[in-house]
Amino acid sequence: METARPDTRIMLVGVLVVLTLLLAVLDLASGSVRIPFGEVVRALLGTASQQEWGVIISIFRLPKLATAMLAGAGLAAAGLMLQSLFRNPLAGPDSLGIGAGASIGVALLMFAGNILGLQKAAGTAGSALLGGLQPLGYVALVLAASLGSFAVLLMILLLARKFEQVVTVLIMGLLVGYLASSVVSLLIYFGSPQKAQVYLAWTYGSFGGVRAGELPFLGGAVLLGCALGAYDRKALNAFLLGERFAATIGIRVRTARTRLLIAAALLAGSVTAFCGPIAFLGIAAPQAARRLARSSEHGVLLPVSMLLGMIFALSADILSSLPGKGAVLPINPLLALIGSPVILSMFLRGAREDFEGGA
Amino acid sequence: MPVLPPRHVPGIPAGSSSPAASHAPLAAPASAAAPSLQADQLAIGWKQGREERILASDIRFSVYPGHLVALIGPNGAGKSTLLRTIAGLLPPLAGSLDILGTPLHTLDAAERATMIACVFNERFDAGYFTVEEIVAFGRYPYTSARLRMSDEDRSQIRKALELTGMAGFGGRRYASLSDGEKQKVQLARAVAQQTPILLLDEPTAFLDAPSRIEIFHLAGQLAQTEQKSIILCTHEIDLALKHADELWIFDQTHRFSAGSPYVISRSGLIGKAFDTATVHFDALSGSFRARQ
């Protein structure tokens, strides 16, 4: 079977870009207050016929849109890097324990906060997730999640230096993940029901919590992470054929591996901190990208994965506000609900093609 | 046509009665060509933390351009360890190992990749990579991080595919090829790397009989026409005796010897390395026989 030629790949990227832009406009139009398409465009130009529409779009929906796109692209890029680095299609931000590290940070802040004298901050963090934002509480939440994932990353980097085999690092990541979730379970078990409720709300995931002032931090982290991945795409290609192979064609294996792990942790850690543990995107988007682009070349896979990540995130965000009247569905279950069947059908069709085409 | 060093050189130095006792560099052709690879009192093995585990020591050899060297020996005797040491994946534990006159361990990964190309017999999931994309890996040491292939890169890829008889396969998916074709594409990738030295780790391991002969023939051809030094580690002793210019052998006690196939096969070294209670190497026919 012939693989897609370069021009069809460019066409695929073009189609995905158009689809992303369409979904972006749809995302701006959808929400508890319905705003017509034309008005969305006029609001963006600053000429909305109703002033409150302009306010809703610039204060709430534009940051939410940017967050969804950054989170989608960032998690997809992180997932792709980890899957190629570990030569394992099931690897993702979660399998490194990075998400678990962020969860531990947040859980510690919420449940053990009173011991550390941070109860007030934790309390406001909870209310932040449920609607009314308090700056300090929110900052504490992001800080806790970032510190948690960074702590796990440091552990994994130290382990990665000690062990030659990359699979060992993957197993360590999984163990750290289990460790983290058991600590979280214990904290929930001994914590008050209200706090458990607040923690649960964070785990549902949300793109709505980031405000315009915080966007540069998320944007900077995602941009830096993706740039590191794009810089190392030679190494990513070579890692697919094995680390020993990579070493013999001139890749500095340990340096590249360390750089990619830092990039993945930066992406997964920052997105988890701001939006909650959205694991599905990181695993699903790269899978879908490989199937769609019919390529293993990271110069193609990275942009396609990022675009698909944005498309998944935007679709979930649009669906989450469908009930209207201020009710919002949680992002995490929605993503898996719409994403899993899509990926599954791709695999089934791919398997049939591979079988019939003798690929 | 460049002047080749003599292809079969007498292996046993004068005055040495027992071939097994001799592990001095045996092949020293009277030629102006400088050796591309040279080892003296080399010790190989692993380093775990501060602990060194030496597997074999006192290894001496010189490899010249245009020569095909076959490395044989029972499993665990040191073949792969030696190959990985030459590839720069394991550090030399003692002695010297020079490539084109430079100590190998002073080169970094990028420099090494322009001097030594390796084909390991590891199997991997090639995903959607095409044959051309796999061969393009050979150009990685020469391309920037952005992976822009120059005209030179493209013509080297085409030439490598032609040399290995895989022209016309460029657009095929690597995963759809037979094991023999995959091995030839790997050879093409190593050729595209344009290195004076080529290391092949059991290149015939998964192949059927015709493909095995084809790979040996191809390796011999590449050594001659491209003036490469090829070191090929293998279990195919009959093919190695037929095709190689020089034989390196590890016996069960990890002792290293080098010499021409003719000398090695008649020296009793092969029998010493491989013979078991039920099988022995017949030096006259150059093949293994069951003991009566």
Side-chain angles (χ1 to χ4, degrees):
Chain A
M1 172 167 299
E2 290 289 312
T3 308
R5 306 310 324 155
D7 48 332
T8 59
R9 288 175 185 171
I10 291 167
M11 224 164 73
L12 174 70
V13 171
V15 168
L16 290 178
V17 166
V18 171
L19 194 59
T20 308
L21 290 177
L22 279 177
L23 285 171
V25 176
L26 198 63
D27 190 42
L28 285 178
S30 62
S32 50
V33 177
R34 199 149 290 173
I35 303 176
F37 272 116
E39 289 297 327
V40 170
V41 178
R42 291 180 64 181
L44 288 175
L45 300 170
T47 57
S49 54
Q50 288 188 38
Q51 205 191 347
E52 60 172 77
W53 286 352
V55 171
I56 287 174
I57 287 202
S58 62
I59 303 285
F60 295 104
R61 294 201 185 161
L62 268 179
K64 187 165 71 99
L65 172 77
T67 305
M69 290 176 79
L70 285 171
L75 286 176
L80 177 68
M81 288 176 209
L82 293 172
Q83 286 176 11
S84 298
L85 189 60
F86 291 114
R87 295 166 79 186
N88 187 331
L90 287 178
D94 254 28
S95 46
L96 265 188
I98 295 167
S103 304
I104 248 189
V106 171
L108 273 177
L109 176 76
M110 286 181 183
F111 293 101
N114 41 2
I115 302 165
L116 305 164
L118 282 167
Q119 197 178 22
K120 201 163 177 223
T124 49
S127 60
L129 289 158
L130 299 173
L133 287 174
Q134 291 288 319
L136 227 166
Y138 195 75
V139 168
L141 179 79
V142 169
L143 220 63
S146 305
L147 282 177
S149 46
F150 191 69
V152 170
L153 167 76
L154 266 185
M155 255 170 80
I156 286 173
L157 281 179
L158 286 175
L159 288 169
R161 288 207 160 275
K162 203 163 163 56
F163 294 104
E164 204 60 50
Q165 288 284 320
V166 82
V167 182
T168 320
V169 182
L170 194 63
I171 295 169
M172 295 294 158
L174 279 173
L175 288 177
V176 170
Y178 285 125
L179 195 76
S181 55
S182 67
V183 170
V184 170
S185 299
L186 281 174
L187 286 171
I188 291 178
Y189 185 78
F190 290 110
S192 67
Q194 292 94 320
K195 285 180 176 174
Q197 178 71 35
V198 168
Y199 176 78
L200 207 60
W202 178 73
T203 63
Y204 280 143
S206 160
F207 297 134
V210 185
R211 279 150 319 142
E214 291 149 2
L215 267 177
F217 295 102
L218 180 61
V222 169
L223 218 66
L224 185 61
C226 291
L228 280 174
Y231 174 77
D232 266 327
R233 61 182 191 254
K234 263 170 92 162
L236 283 170
N237 283 341
F239 280 145
L240 279 184
L241 274 65
E243 293 201 340
R244 211 163 61 185
F245 173 82
T248 66
I249 57 166
I251 308 286
R252 288 176 185 85
V253 170
R254 281 183 185 213
T255 322
R257 191 211 278 166
T258 306
R259 216 163 29 216
L260 284 167
L261 281 177
I262 289 178
L266 191 65
L267 289 167
S270 61
V271 173
T272 308
F274 282 100
C275 309
I278 307 171
F280 179 80
L281 268 175
I283 291 183
Q287 298 280 4
R290 267 188 285 272
R291 295 268 153 193
L292 266 185
R294 305 193 68 77
S295 172
S296 292
E297 178 71 48
H298 284 79
V300 179
L301 279 183
L302 192 65
V304 172
S305 294
M306 286 168 67
L307 282 166
L308 282 174
M310 288 195 242
I311 288 171
F312 279 138
L314 286 174
S315 310
D317 195 42
I318 291 166
L319 286 178
S320 79
S321 59
L322 267 190
K325 304 252 187 286
V328 175
L329 295 174
I331 292 289
N332 241 347
L334 264 181
L335 263 173
L337 206 64
I338 55 164
S340 302
V342 172
I343 310 285
L344 206 61
S345 74
M346 275 178 164
F347 263 94
L348 288 175
R349 207 177 33 201
R352 199 169 57 230
E353 269 176 21
D354 284 352
F355 184 68
E356 286 168 357
Chain B
M1 191 66 190
V3 182
L4 296 180
R7 295 180 70 74
H8 293 284
V9 286
I12 310 297
S16 167
S17 53
S18 158
S22 142
H23 33 66
L26 301 178
S31 155
S36 40
L37 197 63
Q38 204 160 24
D40 191 23
Q41 293 190 301
L42 174 69
I44 57 170
W46 300 273
K47 224 181 206 171
Q48 280 177 328
R50 272 191 221 138
E51 203 186 329
E52 283 184 1
R53 285 196 49 210
I54 291 180
L55 182 70
S57 54
D58 205 14
I59 296 169
R60 293 167 207 213
F61 57 73
S62 302
V63 189
Y64 292 85
H67 271 203
L68 173 62
V69 178
L71 173 56
I72 58 173
N75 282 330
K79 296 192 305 284
S80 294
T81 309
L82 178 57
L83 221 58
R84 272 168 217 180
T85 307
I86 299 173
L89 300 174
L90 292 172
L93 301 183
S96 69
L97 180 57
D98 292 351
I99 168 164
L100 307 172
T102 316
L104 182 66
H105 62 91
T106 63
L107 302 170
D108 71 8
E111 292 170 320
R112 227 169 34 224
T114 63
M115 297 179 178
I116 301 177
C118 312
V119 177
F120 294 115
N121 69 350
E122 254 179 338
R123 299 185 130 186
F124 53 84
D125 177 14
Y128 290 101
F129 278 128
T130 62
V131 167
E132 211 174 273
E133 283 168 336
I134 293 284
V135 179
F137 276 114
R139 304 305 299 169
Y140 272 35
Y142 306 98
T143 53
S144 69
R146 293 184 60 218
L147 264 180
R148 270 280 145 78
M149 292 281 159
S150 66
D151 288 343
E152 162 74 5
D153 293 325
R154 265 187 282 272
S155 88
Q156 287 297 339
I157 292 170
R158 205 176 321 116
K159 188 184 147 202
L161 282 169
E162 276 163 18
L163 272 174
T164 51
M166 293 303 285
F169 281 77
R172 287 271 298 275
R173 248 169 79 182
Y174 181 79
S176 73
L177 303 181
S178 73
D179 285 336
E181 289 167 337
K182 280 180 185 163
Q183 201 56 258
K184 282 195 265 181
V185 172
Q186 283 302 332
L187 264 181
R189 189 267 305 158
V191 169
Q193 218 169 316
Q194 285 188 290
T195 56
I197 296 168
L198 206 60
L199 306 180
L200 311 177
D201 184 15
E202 295 186 30
T204 56
F206 301 110
L207 307 187
D208 55 18
S211 307
R212 286 207 288 265
I213 296 169
E214 214 180 336
I215 292 291
F216 267 90
H217 180 70
L218 198 55
Q221 234 176 7
L222 281 176
Q224 266 194 309
T225 61
E226 302 297 304
Q227 281 298 294
K228 285 181 190 297
S229 302
I230 302 184
I231 301 167
L232 176 158
C233 117
T234 184
H235 284 294
E236 315 275 352
I237 291 161
D238 48 335
L239 285 172
L241 286 171
K242 244 175 250 160
H243 289 90
D245 300 301
E246 197 182 338
L247 225 52
W248 292 355
I249 185 165
F250 275 111
D251 67 15
Q252 271 141 348
T253 63
H254 313 296
R255 184 196 291 275
F256 176 87
S257 316
S260 75
Y262 180 84
V263 170
I264 293 277
S265 76
R266 271 163 183 65
S267 66
L269 279 169
I270 296 178
K272 191 168 174 291
F274 287 98
D275 280 2
T276 67
T278 52
V279 177
H280 77 105
F281 182 76
D282 179 38
L284 278 176
S285 67
S287 59
F288 285 93
R289 299 263 163 95
R291 290 187 202 274
Q292 295 304 309

